[in-house]
Amino acid sequence: MSKKTKRVVVTGLGICAPNGIGVSEFWKNTKLGVSGIRFIPQLRELNFTCQIAAQPQVTQEHINARFTKLEQRGLNSTGIVYGVLAGLEAWEDADLLYNDTPDYDTGIIFGTGILGVDKFREAIHKIDAGNTRRLGSTSVLQTMASGISTYLNSKLGCGNQVTTNSSACSTGTEAVLMAYDRIKSGQAKRILVGSCSDSGPYIWGGFDAMRILPHDYNDKPTEASRPMSATASGFVPGSGAGALVIESLESAEKRGAKIYAEISGGHLNSGGQLAGGSMTAPNGQAVRRCISKALKESRVQHDALSAINGHLTATKKDSEEVYNWKRTLKIEAANFPPINSLKGLIGHGLASSGSMECVATVLQIKHQTLFGNVNASDVHPDIQNLIPKEAILQTTKKTPLQHIAKASFGFGDVNAVVIFSKFEP
């Protein structure tokens, strides 16, 4: 098979999400509209304006299943915990082995934003107290950005590229496309991809200070994240991890692996913080170019999209995002594909958002079922003027799904769009 025609498929999934740990629990709760957004008493104690957030409900049982007692000594990085839970689930779901010699055909691209903030805080206090020698032998591993890919590989033994990428909210989707390019070009047979994000006040405090989080829902947290809603008042901070094993079709078929979906293509770009783009706002021209290029790379016609899983953070930018989709697809409003956002259920997972949403998108294709949007019954009038209200499904719906576009538009004016497709032998 030539490099130009190599097909790339998804053979494993794993997730550690605020509304479910493990693919089975996550998908069940997502279909039912079960939210993972909760009131966090610590945030009230610290005088946060927004006192709600979304973080996986990890138990000691979860940790014992994946970390030895020795590994648990001094473990104080939620991002690593989330990433390991999701990554190892995806690995096992793909029926891959734990290697005792390097597997040079297999790699890891697992992204993050900030890793080990609580471990950093612990280290600072110990150093200030003159107790440097009490930091422990894993403080570096838990706080360096590539700690997550390094930690995963200490268990998996991959010999291909092992790295960590970081591009704000688009990190997870970018990781998928980085791995897709590497496999498609023949440089690897399979790659574990994903992203994770720490949780806690030291991650979320900066956003609270920016006054971009909702503050009127502390007593009703599940109603706070309102993508595409007229009453949206800011994103709910979240955390977690998503993971996918992607590999060449040739490799998957040779192994007899199950196939969830095919990656038809995608595109990455940046708006350069020009033409209206900034650190916090997207350059609309670049967003539209990213969508268009992703469809072209995938050889998917604009009117052939079955659905869109948007970035859609429950801010004023939601209307702008829908406008960019509408202008790029150039199809009649009546034919606009359904569009949904996972953030209504799990908040904005920051660096982990793209990977968790990619897992959700692949599950929609696998089960031929779209999950509904929550808290969006009062659709923003600017969005209603662009697309029919029916395109914003309120409940889960079983429907034929051939191609779904997954988009992530991140802080710093960076964009990623990947097209997942139903696998056809």
Side-chain angles (χ1 to χ4, degrees), residues 74-328:
L75 181 62
N76 194 14
S77 173
T78 52
I80 284 182
V81 171
Y82 302 155
V84 168
L85 291 179
L88 296 188
E89 182 188 21
W91 186 266
E92 293 173 356
D93 185 46
D95 290 325
L96 292 171
L97 301 175
Y98 288 81
N99 303 299
D100 52 14
T101 58
D103 178 358
Y104 294 107
D105 292 322
T106 305
I108 301 172
I109 301 177
F110 216 96
T112 191
I114 302 173
L115 195 66
V117 168
D118 287 327
K119 192 66 179 180
F120 260 125
R121 180 173 181 267
E122 175 189 318
I124 289 168
H125 284 298
K126 286 182 178 179
I127 290 171
D128 286 346
N131 294 324
T132 304
R133 291 185 180 182
R134 298 186 63 186
L135 288 179
S137 59
T138 63
S139 61
V140 172
L141 173 63
Q142 292 186 56
T143 55
M144 65 181 187
S146 59
I148 180 56
S149 55
T150 301
Y151 208 107
L152 282 166
N153 205 32
S154 72
K155 296 177 177 291
L156 305 182
C158 299
N160 205 278
Q161 183 183 26
V162 175
T163 191
T164 293
N165 66 305
S166 185
S167 57
C169 320
S170 64
T171 297
T173 308
E174 179 187 75
V176 170
L177 289 172
M178 289 170 67
Y180 166 82
D181 286 341
R182 189 165 182 82
I183 293 171
K184 196 171 179 66
S185 66
Q187 297 180 73
K189 289 185 178 179
R190 65 198 72 83
I191 298 179
L192 172 65
V193 305
S195 64
C196 62
S197 182
D198 271 13
S199 62
Y202 305 107
I203 298 292
W204 304 325
F207 298 108
D208 196 63
M210 293 170 69
R211 300 291 187 264
I212 56 176
L213 308 182
H215 58 271
D216 292 331
Y217 294 89
N218 293 336
D219 59 344
K220 42 187 177 181
T222 61
E223 299 176 25
S225 185
R226 312 180 66 79
M228 296 182 285
S229 165
T231 50
S233 58
F235 74 82
V236 173
S239 57
L244 307 87
V245 171
I246 68 174
E247 64 183 298
S248 70
L249 176 59
E250 182 181 28
S251 168
E253 290 182 332
K254 187 175 181 179
R255 294 195 306 113
K258 66 177 176 293
I259 295 174
Y260 283 98
E262 181 167 3
I263 300 175
S264 295
H267 192 69
L268 300 167
N269 75 3
S270 170
Q273 300 180 45
L274 301 169
S278 68
M279 191 67 74
T280 57
N283 174 343
Q285 296 173 8
V287 168
R288 295 190 293 273
R289 179 182 176 87
C290 192
I291 297 169
S292 182
K293 288 281 189 178
L295 291 167
K296 184 176 181 180
E297 159 71 18
S298 306
R299 299 183 181 180
V300 173
Q301 296 298 315
H302 288 202
D303 59 356
L305 276 183
S306 305
I308 297 165
N309 182 243
H311 187 56
L312 298 168
T313 58
T315 65
K316 295 178 181 178
K317 296 297 179 182
D318 288 1
S319 301
E320 191 173 318
E321 180 179 337
V322 174
Y323 167 79
N324 286 325
W325 282 105
K326 180 71 163 54
R327 182 170 171 183
T328 304

